[in-house]
Amino acid sequence: MAEELPTPEELISKGYKPPKTAWMDTPVNIRKGMYCYASTPKTVETLGLPNPRNWNPLDDDWQLPDNWKEIVFEGLRERLDKFRSFKLFMDICVRCGACADKCHFFIGTGDPKNMPVLRAELIRSVYRNDFTKAGKILGRLAGARPMTIGVLKEWWYYLFQCSECRRCSVFCPYGIDTAEITIVGREILNLLGLNIDWISAPVANCYRTGNHLGIQPHAYTDMIDFFCEDIEEVTGVKMEPSLNRKGAEILFITPSGDVFADPGTYTAMGYIILFHYLQELGLDITWSTYASEGGNFGFFTSHDTMKRLNAKMFAEAKRLGVKWILGGECGHMWRVIQQYMNTMNGPADFLETPVSPITGTCFENAKSTKMVHIAEFTADLIYHNKLNLDPSRNDNKIVTYHDSCNPARGMGLLDEPRYVINSVCNHFYEMPSNTIREQTFCCGAGSGLNASEDMELRMMGGLPRANAVKYVHEMHGVNMLACVCAIDRAVFPALMEYWVPEVDVTGLHELVANALILPGEKKRTTDLRGEPLPGVEEEDAEE
């Protein structure tokens, strides 16, 4: 936890109140704990973005180019011409406020500029001033204001207090997607070299090594080997996953966070165990140490960067000659694939429509992308009775499920994870209905905000989700929060420790692997985390 982070009691007792001045008259107050560090010159240069330099958001001088206003104007004009939806979103909002109390950052901070309608208005007001007749004639009366250095800093501060979760869009009567406005706003900021390090560094790493963490192929291979050693210690079964094998039927790609960050590592071990089990049933699958990242931080940078990072997975599929791709538990990877890929990269026509080699199920929903979410794949296996499961091995876990924003709202992955959980666990409870499924609350640190320096912002933004978890913890004794997103698995441990310390975090396939009975396994006494399985201690006492 950050040293300056207030206690939960102090954070709640702050009693946030709106400012006494109108929003246009309230200057931005950039304060520590509420923003991420600026991107470094090295990462900006790697990404080919302009104006690389050392700068600090707390400084008065952001070292902008002399013509920065012209750059912003041209960037805005270009995107208004290019993206019809963006122009529409600028024009049709009636400021009804239906989205206002739907944003977790507004609920947590109480800052009016974190209302989605007002966050978008930060950009919309400049659009009105520069691109509409009413704004040019009536100015402020038409909701218009000129671009100034104060406005630019306001853009940067609040556009990086949006996790692009799109919960607000569910409630907008006009269907305005405020996340799209945030994406365009961030693109324009990038034209001035105004990014954050927690986004630009992972993208730069992805350019160099194929994944966000900068892991080189040999280190990736070493981690897989370590997992196999741990798995053999728990199960007694030796596993040898296939890596970079040409001619395999399926390429598996998952976020690098699953390979190098707890508790995602247990999810990665779950993948290995599941694939080993399925080999005798006809699964022909390989991992890649080059396209070693499912996540796409380009989604938080620009459309061009998003396109480039998405392309690498399909380039690797072509190199290895596979038929289709199986994707791991990730969030933004799936929204990019489901909602942007065909426009940006085009259909993956060189691959085949995915068909499960175990059940024969044709995944028609992946006919264009040629990529299947592993929750869909595993749910299909269970539905066809292909897995030998003992859910009692998870009896010490009372589970609730977090609908990760992008798979849930972005691709409609709602029922499959729940079907899997109910098949591998005996104790499952839903959070309140207005906090799950399409209305799910965000983790509070998506879209590149998962840094240590903005911990106060994260704890505020994650409060609505934590509050729902706390409810089921107190009502049903829930002690485990499951999710299908690597960012969630990275973010939630700190959030739970802060708000609901009795609750731990797991990926879906860690639970699957605990319950899966492997041929030839020894008597298992622990789960993948080395914790005793339910009943084992009692059996040992009896013996």
Side-chain angles (χ1 to χ4, degrees), residues 392-525:
S392 70
R393 289 178 173 176
N394 286 314
D395 275 353
N396 57 346
K397 299 171 180 63
I398 305 173
V399 183
T400 192
Y401 177 67
H402 164 73
D403 290 277
S404 302
C405 299
N406 286 305
R409 278 189 286 268
M411 66 179 294
L413 189 75
L414 304 171
D415 295 318
E416 292 89 345
R418 289 173 167 82
Y419 180 75
V420 172
I421 290 172
N422 279 304
S423 300
V424 300
C425 297
N426 289 320
H427 308 293
F428 173 70
Y429 296 94
E430 292 277 21
M431 287 179 274
S433 60
N434 63 338
T435 71
I436 59 172
R437 302 179 78 87
E438 293 92 341
Q439 297 186 43
T440 185
F441 275 113
C442 179
C443 66
S447 80
L449 304 183
N450 181 24
S452 59
E453 63 267 21
D454 68 335
M455 194 64 79
E456 185 172 341
L457 174 69
R458 287 175 50 187
M459 295 304 105
M460 289 174 171
L463 174 60
R465 169 47 75 223
N467 196 44
V469 174
K470 185 174 183 179
Y471 174 81
V472 288
H473 167 68
E474 293 177 347
M475 290 292 293
H476 306 293
V478 163
N479 60 14
M480 187 64 74
L481 176 62
C483 57
V484 289
C485 172
I487 285 184
D488 287 335
R489 285 189 288 279
V491 166
F492 277 141
L495 188 71
M496 292 299 105
E497 180 186 344
Y498 188 78
W499 291 114
V500 201
E502 302 86 357
V503 177
D504 211 337
V505 181
T506 182
L508 187 67
H509 281 78
E510 177 185 346
L511 299 174
V512 172
N514 284 338
L516 191 60
I517 301 174
L518 296 168
E521 69 176 21
K522 70 178 185 180
K523 181 182 178 181
R524 290 170 66 174
T525 58

Side-chain angles (χ1 to χ4, degrees), residues 253-264:
I253 300 178
T254 195
S256 57
D258 282 349
V259 181
F260 277 82
D262 291 342

Side-chain angles (χ1 to χ4, degrees), residues 182-215:
T182 296
I183 292 170
V184 169
R186 288 185 178 185
E187 279 198 14
I188 295 172
L189 291 172
N190 271 304
L191 299 177
L192 302 173
L194 297 176
N195 206 316
I196 62 174
D197 191 57
W198 201 252
I199 292 176
S200 61
V203 176
N205 285 336
C206 222
Y207 279 17
R208 287 193 297 267
T209 68
N211 58 72
H212 293 154
L213 301 178
I215 306 160

Side-chain angles (χ1 to χ4, degrees), residues 4-16 456 498-499:
E4 299 179 4
L5 184 65
T7 66
E9 294 74 21
E10 290 171 340
L11 203 61
I12 289 178
S13 66
K14 282 190 175 182
Y16 297 98
E456 185 172 341
Y498 188 78
W499 291 114

